[in-house]
Amino acid sequence: MELKEQIHVWMKKNEGELFRMLQSMVREPSIQANEAGIQLLTKGWLEEVGFEVDMWEPGGELFIHEAFLSARDSFAGSPNVVGVKKGNGFGRSLVLNGHVDVVREGDSDDWHTDPFSGEIKDGKLYGRGATDMKGGNAAMLFALQALHDLNIVCEGDIIFHSVIEEESGGAGTLAAILRGYAGDAALIPEPTQMKIFPKQQGSLWFRLHIKGASAHGGTPYRGVNAIEKAMAVFLSLKELEKIRNDRVSDPLYEEVPIPLPINVGVVEGGDWPSSVPDLVKLEGRYGVGPDETVEAAQAEFEAWIAGLGKKDNWFAAHPVKLEWFGARWLPGAIDTDHPLMNILTKNYEKVMGEIPAVEASPWGTDGGLLTAVGNTPTIVFGPGITSLAHFANEYVELDKVRSCAEIIAYTILEWCSGINKEAEE
Amino acid sequence: MELKEQIHVWMKKNEGELFRMLQSMVREPSIQANEAGIQLLTKGWLEEVGFEVDMWEPGGELFIHEAFLSARDSFAGSPNVVGVKKGNGFGRSLVLNGHVDVVREGDSDDWHTDPFSGEIKDGKLYGRGATDMKGGNAAMLFALQALHDLNIVCEGDIIFHSVIEEESGGAGTLAAILRGYAGDAALIPEPTQMKIFPKQQGSLWFRLHIKGASAHGGTPYRGVNAIEKAMAVFLSLKELEKIRNDRVSDPLYEEVPIPLPINVGVVEGGDWPSSVPDLVKLEGRYGVGPDETVEAAQAEFEAWIAGLGKKDNWFAAHPVKLEWFGARWLPGAIDTDHPLMNILTKNYEKVMGEIPAVEASPWGTDGGLLTAVGNTPTIVFGPGITSLAHFANEYVELDKVRSCAEIIAYTILEWCSGINKEAEE
């Protein structure tokens, strides 16, 4: 029996294992600072399939790296896990990267089950993190189990990143890269809904402080309402968004209405209904294209904000203050004709019986760090449902997780094999 | 010597007493729930000038009255003080109303002295409450001292309200009214900068909940940004403001750009820069005219908000939710040809040597409660500087306080005298 066929049969037979593994992942409420439980489980799974495991609490040089961004000043109790299965050095190495941290479950009244139940119903497994991205992690581990059980030895190294902090700036992946765990290419099964994303939008968070002039609410004409001024800034950001998106010509973005959005996500201003507010804060997310540098994108935004004074004297006298803060996701990319793209695409066709959707993702992943800092071109491709990430009643479709595991197993097989390496290079 | 001349001479001679009294008032940090100290002082002053004093902690029926509005469920430790000096029943009664509560001092770094210093410099007395409205209270008490010292007996009752809670909904004045302390007319020396306000704008606080639809900030076009929808509501409130103000024809409002403003004072929405916010809250102050009822003004606002759906289908499907909350000041009024207006105006001219500015005030006072609940027509006239109320480095000009005291003393003399009552009626 051909190797892929063996894998297919093995997976079909053992799919219950996959679902149970995913269930135990979801039952670990691995929100920020609570990742130790799932990391210990992952360490165990990796060791069972013959990986050498490195588990450590990130620190040291991480904190002073220019790409480091986190509100935390210690990762004590939040270990990273990296497992390595060395090849014979003749194959290409592959990084399989998945984050174990999940965003908070929110109001549990919005969930129809316990948010960490892992309940399976109608082929769907429910729970916080099921889609983002424990379904993807389980698919990768299941692929490794299949290869291990079938005694398939790869020539290239397989480096499994089980990282913390993806939801808050990527410190876990950065720590793994800085510890030397990069590779020839990487795969991250974030929830793409089985689309293949060779490019990922990066993003930066901005905060704008917009001034007004206070007055009593009975005589508002004596003041300047900062909310009104914030509205002008909001509309001006829409203009900048249009200018930036009019420049995008990459065919990968053909179907995307706004490839590089500027989203204002938070507004806050004033503290008394009877006063004219003198300060409004806007916070948002600034999309950065895979074909621009973060620095150039920042400079364009900064110049735009500084230019507000030319359109409105108020802003000349009271400049809007800009801060870059909090999270930053670097844009990520791999060439669309990169060999890993070809391998993944063909294996997708083999398993799914159709041509995959290949798009640029509208959000960043740790693939940006792997690309920019780790010099590891990255594809994002996973079974989760994009629109369910971060929402109540998040679930993942189990048949997609299985299919994804199969595609990943085939892809490891070909990418890491010396034969294919020679054949393609 | 004519009585007014005697008062004038007495006040000139004793003005040091006035300033010391005001100083000791300001040195009492009578913020909400800390009014007992100043009330005990006031009780003492009233007793010294022959008033019968009633001091009590408001409660009971107050809490179930329809005009009651307060975040507090007890006024323990926050007594009201009312002093009464009965006349012989042949004169008209006068309520002199002043609140002792002051708003918080804010950041003390913004003050050039201690916020409760009562420091006197260049004819100004500094401190929280100096303008709003302890300067006015001191002027009233000084007027009573003059009448007492000069053995001037009035025929009408004088009812002195020293109330709590004006800054937070007027529970103190309401309690005084409900305890039976109303009168034929009232004077409130709130900081009008020596202008005479026969009408006072009332106000209500509103809160609007504006819905959007959440989405990831990388694909904002899949959601509806509640900030954008809140902007539409904000602009719509401007339209309503215009419609309401176009109707105002009272000559008292001739000089006021927007007699009945709608002020949006607080905005808050979203909780994550990378998400499209699905809810924005706006809070504001809705000006109510002296010539409309609160009920009619509310109904107009409610209909306007309900009508948003006709202009934008989004609001038809996702109606903006309106709450009336927190503070409410009823509009107050007295006829501009009311005898007390004539008396006060003439005495102003006598003391100040000029014609007073007579305007409608852009903010409410406890005069609304006196008018609507106590059936006591009210004039607002006081020495404080309107624009300094609630700000750092608040002060009051001592010569204005003295002049105001003199005007009030003359006015009491004429209004409460039986002779004048006969002469004018």
Side-chain angles (χ1 to χ4, degrees):
Chain A
M1 198 159 48
E2 197 241 339
L3 278 184
K4 286 188 184 173
E5 184 60 17
Q6 287 180 38
I7 291 170
H8 176 75
V9 171
W10 184 93
M11 285 197 170
K12 215 164 171 191
K13 194 177 141 203
N14 294 285
E15 65 175 20
E17 289 295 324
L18 168 62
F19 305 152
R20 274 188 292 278
M21 179 164 61
L22 176 54
Q23 205 163 41
S24 52
M25 285 178 174
V26 171
R27 285 176 180 168
E28 288 289 335
S30 51
I31 54 170
Q32 194 183 48
N34 199 38
E35 314 89 343
I38 195 163
Q39 292 292 55
L40 277 170
L41 276 180
T42 306
K43 178 172 183 284
W45 289 321
L46 285 167
E47 285 168 346
E48 274 174 35
V49 295
F51 277 60
E52 193 127 330
V53 176
D54 183 7
M55 176 158 153
W56 79 102
E57 290 167 351
E61 60 167 346
L62 171 68
F63 287 101
I64 53 167
H65 193 277
E66 58 169 4
F68 176 73
L69 248 180
S70 173
R72 299 176 70 175
D73 56 8
S74 160
F75 296 102
S78 295
N80 246 0
V81 166
V82 171
V84 177
K85 192 164 194 176
K86 295 294 273 182
N88 61 12
F90 291 105
R92 294 171 291 209
S93 65
L94 183 66
V95 171
L96 299 171
N97 176 292
H99 66 85
V100 295
D101 56 312
V102 297
V103 296
R104 288 193 171 273
E105 69 275 24
D107 188 343
S108 51
D109 286 349
D110 294 339
W111 290 76
H112 62 62
T113 61
D114 180 296
F116 297 102
S117 71
E119 186 193 50
I120 295 174
K121 203 175 157 185
D122 301 332
K124 297 164 182 171
L125 190 146
Y126 285 86
R128 169 58 76 235
T131 252
D132 182 12
M133 62 175 283
K134 291 175 175 177
N137 295 349
M140 294 192 293
L141 282 167
F142 195 57
L144 299 179
Q145 283 183 355
L147 298 175
H148 178 76
D149 265 31
L150 296 168
N151 293 311
I152 298 170
V153 180
C154 295
E155 300 201 85
D157 300 347
I158 306 173
I159 302 129
F160 191 98
H161 289 181
S162 179
V163 296
I164 61 169
E165 289 288 307
E166 191 276 340
E167 298 291 358
S168 318
T173 290
L174 180 60
I177 294 166
L178 298 181
R179 208 165 165 99
Y181 298 118
D184 291 325
L187 179 73
I188 306 182
E190 286 269 17
T192 69
Q193 227 157 335
M194 303 295 276
K195 293 176 182 176
I196 295 174
F197 289 168
K199 297 199 179 181
Q200 304 103 44
Q201 188 193 121
S203 61
L204 301 165
W205 281 4
F206 60 84
R207 183 182 289 134
L208 297 170
H209 301 264
I210 297 137
K211 283 189 190 144
S214 199
H216 188 277
T219 53
Y221 37 84
R222 293 197 184 134
V224 173
N225 194 319
I227 298 173
E228 233 167 316
K229 290 295 163 193
M231 280 165 46
V233 172
F234 186 101
L235 294 174
S236 175
L237 291 178
K238 288 268 155 218
E239 279 178 62
L240 174 62
E241 185 185 64
K242 184 168 185 330
I243 290 168
R244 284 172 52 76
N245 283 282
D246 283 351
R247 286 200 304 253
V248 175
S249 58
D250 189 328
L252 277 180
Y253 284 110
E254 217 156 63
E255 301 296 317
V256 183
I258 307 174
L260 305 176
I262 301 178
N263 178 66
V264 179
V266 178
V267 62
E268 202 185 302
D271 52 13
W272 197 246
S274 288
S275 291
V276 174
D278 63 353
L279 190 64
V280 167
K281 188 183 76 181
L282 295 178
E283 289 179 358
R285 176 193 181 280
Y286 178 55
V288 179
D291 301 316
E292 64 183 344
T293 65
V294 167
E295 291 70 25
Q298 276 183 312
E300 183 171 22
F301 194 91
E302 286 162 10
W304 187 265
I305 296 300
L308 286 169
K310 280 181 213 134
K311 297 174 193 167
D312 181 337
N313 285 334
W314 176 261
F315 293 128
H318 307 86
V320 172
K321 201 181 121 201
L322 163 66
E323 279 177 83
W324 300 107
F325 79 109
R328 173 182 59 197
W329 286 269
L330 299 173
I334 195 169
D335 288 340
T336 46
D337 57 357
H338 188 281
L340 184 62
M341 276 295 288
N342 297 334
I343 293 173
L344 181 67
T345 305
K346 275 183 217 144
N347 285 321
Y348 179 95
E349 288 171 22
K350 178 176 172 66
V351 172
M352 304 302 288
E354 60 181 26
I355 290 175
V358 177
E359 291 180 10
S361 95
W363 27 259
T365 67
D366 281 354
L369 286 162
L370 281 162
T371 305
V373 183
N375 201 23
T376 306
T378 304
I379 300 176
V380 179
F381 162 73
I385 298 170
T386 317
S387 61
L388 298 180
H390 300 201
F391 285 94
N393 303 314
E394 177 179 346
Y395 66 79
V396 68
E397 295 159 297
L398 292 174
D399 62 336
K400 295 291 194 320
V401 178
R402 235 272 324 259
S403 301
C404 185
E406 210 169 317
I407 295 165
I408 291 173
Y410 298 174
T411 299
I412 295 170
L413 192 69
E414 291 177 20
W415 173 259
C416 298
S417 114
I419 297 157
N420 278 285
K421 186 179 183 181
E422 281 157 22
E424 287 184 19
E425 274 178 7
Chain B
M1 198 157 49
E2 198 242 339
L3 280 183
K4 286 187 183 174
E5 183 59 19
Q6 287 180 40
I7 291 170
H8 177 73
V9 171
W10 185 95
M11 284 196 169
K12 214 164 171 189
K13 193 176 141 204
N14 295 286
E15 66 175 21
E17 289 296 324
L18 168 62
F19 305 153
R20 274 189 292 280
M21 178 164 62
L22 176 53
Q23 206 163 41
S24 51
M25 284 179 174
V26 171
R27 286 176 179 167
E28 287 289 334
S30 52
I31 54 170
Q32 193 183 50
N34 199 36
E35 314 88 343
I38 194 163
Q39 292 292 55
L40 277 169
L41 277 180
T42 307
K43 179 173 183 283
W45 289 321
L46 285 167
E47 285 168 346
E48 274 174 33
V49 295
F51 276 60
E52 193 127 328
V53 176
D54 183 7
M55 177 158 155
W56 79 101
E57 290 167 350
E61 60 166 345
L62 171 68
F63 287 101
I64 54 167
H65 193 275
E66 56 170 6
F68 175 74
L69 251 180
S70 174
R72 299 176 72 175
D73 56 8
S74 160
F75 296 103
S78 296
N80 247 359
V81 166
V82 171
V84 177
K85 192 163 193 179
K86 294 294 273 182
N88 61 12
F90 290 105
R92 294 171 291 209
S93 65
L94 183 66
V95 171
L96 299 171
N97 175 292
H99 66 86
V100 296
D101 56 310
V102 298
V103 295
R104 289 193 169 274
E105 70 275 24
D107 189 344
S108 51
D109 288 348
D110 294 339
W111 290 77
H112 61 63
T113 61
D114 180 295
F116 297 102
S117 71
E119 186 192 52
I120 295 175
K121 203 175 158 185
D122 302 332
K124 296 165 182 169
L125 190 146
Y126 285 86
R128 169 59 76 234
T131 252
D132 183 12
M133 60 174 283
K134 291 176 175 177
N137 295 349
M140 292 193 293
L141 282 166
F142 196 56
L144 298 179
Q145 282 183 355
L147 297 175
H148 179 74
D149 265 31
L150 295 168
N151 293 310
I152 299 170
V153 180
C154 295
E155 300 200 84
D157 300 348
I158 305 173
I159 303 128
F160 191 100
H161 289 182
S162 179
V163 297
I164 60 169
E165 290 287 306
E166 191 277 339
E167 299 290 358
S168 318
T173 290
L174 180 60
I177 294 166
L178 297 182
R179 208 165 164 100
Y181 298 119
D184 291 327
L187 179 73
I188 306 182
E190 286 267 19
T192 70
Q193 227 157 333
M194 303 296 275
K195 292 176 183 176
I196 295 173
F197 289 168
K199 296 199 178 182
Q200 304 102 44
Q201 187 192 121
S203 62
L204 300 166
W205 283 2
F206 60 85
R207 184 180 289 134
L208 298 170
H209 302 263
I210 298 137
K211 283 191 191 144
S214 199
H216 188 277
T219 53
Y221 38 84
R222 291 196 187 137
V224 173
N225 194 319
I227 298 174
E228 232 166 318
K229 289 296 164 191
M231 281 166 48
V233 172
F234 185 101
L235 294 173
S236 175
L237 290 178
K238 288 268 156 218
E239 279 178 62
L240 175 61
E241 185 185 64
K242 184 167 185 330
I243 290 169
R244 284 172 53 76
N245 283 282
D246 284 351
R247 283 200 305 253
V248 176
S249 57
D250 190 328
L252 278 178
Y253 284 110
E254 219 155 60
E255 302 296 317
V256 183
I258 307 174
L260 305 176
I262 301 177
N263 179 67
V264 179
V266 178
V267 62
E268 202 185 301
D271 52 13
W272 197 245
S274 288
S275 290
V276 174
D278 63 354
L279 190 65
V280 168
K281 188 182 75 181
L282 296 178
E283 288 179 359
R285 176 192 180 281
Y286 178 54
V288 179
D291 302 316
E292 64 182 345
T293 65
V294 167
E295 292 70 26
Q298 277 183 312
E300 185 171 20
F301 194 92
E302 285 161 9
W304 187 265
I305 296 301
L308 287 168
K310 280 179 211 136
K311 297 173 194 167
D312 181 338
N313 284 334
W314 177 261
F315 293 127
H318 307 86
V320 173
K321 201 181 122 201
L322 163 66
E323 277 178 86
W324 300 105
F325 80 108
R328 173 183 58 198
W329 285 269
L330 299 173
I334 195 169
D335 287 341
T336 46
D337 58 357
H338 189 279
L340 185 62
M341 276 296 289
N342 297 334
I343 293 172
L344 182 66
T345 304
K346 276 183 216 146
N347 286 320
Y348 179 96
E349 287 171 22
K350 179 176 172 66
V351 172
M352 304 302 287
E354 61 180 23
I355 290 174
V358 176
E359 290 179 9
S361 95
W363 27 259
T365 67
D366 280 355
L369 287 162
L370 280 162
T371 305
V373 183
N375 201 21
T376 306
T378 303
I379 300 175
V380 179
F381 162 73
I385 299 172
T386 319
S387 61
L388 299 180
H390 300 202
F391 285 94
N393 303 315
E394 178 180 344
Y395 65 80
V396 69
E397 296 160 296
L398 292 174
D399 62 337
K400 294 291 194 321
V401 178
R402 233 274 321 262
S403 301
C404 185
E406 210 169 318
I407 296 164
I408 291 173
Y410 298 173
T411 299
I412 295 171
L413 192 68
E414 292 176 20
W415 173 258
C416 298
S417 115
I419 298 158
N420 279 283
K421 185 180 182 182
E422 281 157 23
E424 287 185 18
E425 279 180 4

